[in-house]
Amino acid sequence: MGLSKDSKINMTSVYKRGENNLITDVSGVKVGHFTLKDQEKNIHTGVTAILPHGGNIFKDKVLAAASVINGFGKSAGLVQIEELGTIETPILMTNTLSVGTCLDALAKYMLKHNEDIGVSTGTVNCVVTECNDGEINDIRGQHVKQEHVYQALENADVLFEEGDVGAGSGMICMGLKGGIGSSSRIVEIDNKEYTVGAMVLSNFGFPGLLRIDGKPVDISSITEKKEDDVEKGSVIILIATDIPLSERQLRRVAKRSTVGLARVGSYLGNGSGDIAVAFTTANRMPHYGEESMVDIKMINDRVIDKVFQATAEAVEESVYSSLDHAHTVTGIRGKKVYAISEVL
């Protein structure tokens, strides 16, 4: 996956791509979608679920960090990630006005699978991220329901679709149809191969900004850049790895996602909600345990540049992939958004 084999998008890459060129090349990670599309009712939205590993994530948390690059966003759960440096639920992506529905559904999902939550132990920090799909989707209709969240979680697998699916159904990126995109890179450390995987929900930029491999892409044939265009979209970036990293190092990795965004033409504008979340499957924090000490491994900072560069590449290709797999859509108020295939 990632960029399709017959894609007209070409990018320079230093690091080797993973087996499937997806975030799920990091062992244990799975992704699932539920897509809501009804042309007559102007519904173009959905839910995307990311499972950090195949076990009980509440009882076996992954070390994590978040980077709020530009905070024009309504995501839930980032505060506790910042404070404790762990993720203890699946991560959901959806549209802005469906965060509450998804949060409630994810809480019920966690309660169902953990009878101790709120009884013999504390509550749970559900993580829900969002972008605004209101230019294409009837966002006021709040069409995402709790059963759609459960279906996305149930659909989670190693192989998954990209483009205008799940949470990406109604997203616009650089004036073109955006959505879900993913990619991965292989990093060698001490003669052992590790994986850095990325996934984006691309909904940022405006016509005229897009760069591919540093070169401007002219889309004036299908859409016009307006003089008063400003950055008012969003992007959610997830970075997964099996490299042992501390939460401090994960925060540094999350920040490097800005390099990938800059390469495709974003300037992280005032009205854009740009958020990155990074986690490692190599370091776990048990919810229960008799031991007072937990062993955590981390790489030496002198070799972390490899991780930074691989992250930048994976994020950059993930954005291209979200465009590459998307289709031309006509949405609410007659808004037509073309796929990049109409241009290249």
Side-chain angles (χ1 to χ4, degrees), residues 218-234:
D218 181 10
I219 64 170
S220 59
S221 62
I222 58 171
T223 186
E224 291 185 16
K225 179 185 181 301
K226 300 175 182 177
E227 290 300 321
D228 59 349
D229 273 338
V230 293
E231 181 89 74
K232 56 182 179 181
S234 296

Side-chain angles (χ1 to χ4, degrees), residues 93-279:
M93 293 177 168
T94 191
N95 75 67
T96 307
L97 296 187
S98 294
V99 170
T101 299
C102 289
L103 190 65
D104 194 24
L106 186 54
K108 290 177 180 176
Y109 173 86
M110 295 302 296
L111 293 176
K112 178 181 177 181
H113 292 279
N114 298 274
E115 295 180 354
D116 51 339
I117 292 176
V119 179
S120 58
T121 190
T123 56
V124 62
N125 182 51
C126 298
V127 182
V128 182
T129 61
E130 56 78 31
C131 288
N132 185 349
D133 58 16
E135 284 198 52
I136 298 177
N137 174 51
D138 171 30
I139 194 170
R140 291 175 61 89
Q142 295 182 288
H143 301 286
V144 173
K145 307 301 180 187
Q146 291 188 24
E147 57 265 29
H148 303 148
V149 175
Y150 304 141
Q151 192 64 56
L153 289 162
E154 187 176 323
N155 291 340
D157 207 340
V158 172
L159 297 179
F160 59 93
E161 290 184 271
E162 298 173 80
D164 48 330
V165 292
S169 299
M171 302 302 169
I172 303 173
C173 183
M174 301 295 194
L176 298 165
K177 190 67 194 72
I180 297 290
S182 189
S183 186
S184 67
R185 293 295 185 272
I186 302 299
V187 176
E188 186 174 302
I189 301 173
D190 291 342
N191 299 315
K192 182 178 179 180
E193 288 190 341
Y194 296 89
T195 304
V196 175
M199 189 171 85
V200 303
L201 179 61
S202 67
N203 193 53
F204 61 95
F206 54 81
L209 288 184
L210 181 63
R211 303 288 188 274
I212 295 180
D213 221 17
K215 300 174 183 177
V217 178
D218 181 10
I219 64 170
S220 59
S221 62
I222 58 171
T223 186
E224 291 185 16
K225 179 185 181 301
K226 300 175 182 177
E227 290 300 321
D228 59 349
D229 273 338
V230 293
E231 181 89 74
K232 56 182 179 181
S234 296
V235 61
I236 300 298
I237 303 165
L238 298 183
I239 301 157
T241 187
D242 54 6
I243 301 171
L245 299 170
S246 69
E247 57 268 52
R248 172 186 64 81
Q249 291 175 324
L250 286 164
R251 187 174 299 108
R252 298 184 71 201
V253 169
K255 288 180 179 178
R256 267 56 182 195
S257 62
T258 57
V259 178
L261 293 182
R263 286 177 178 175
V264 302
S266 173
Y267 58 83
L268 314 173
N270 174 66
S272 188
D274 306 322
I275 294 169
V277 177
F279 65 88

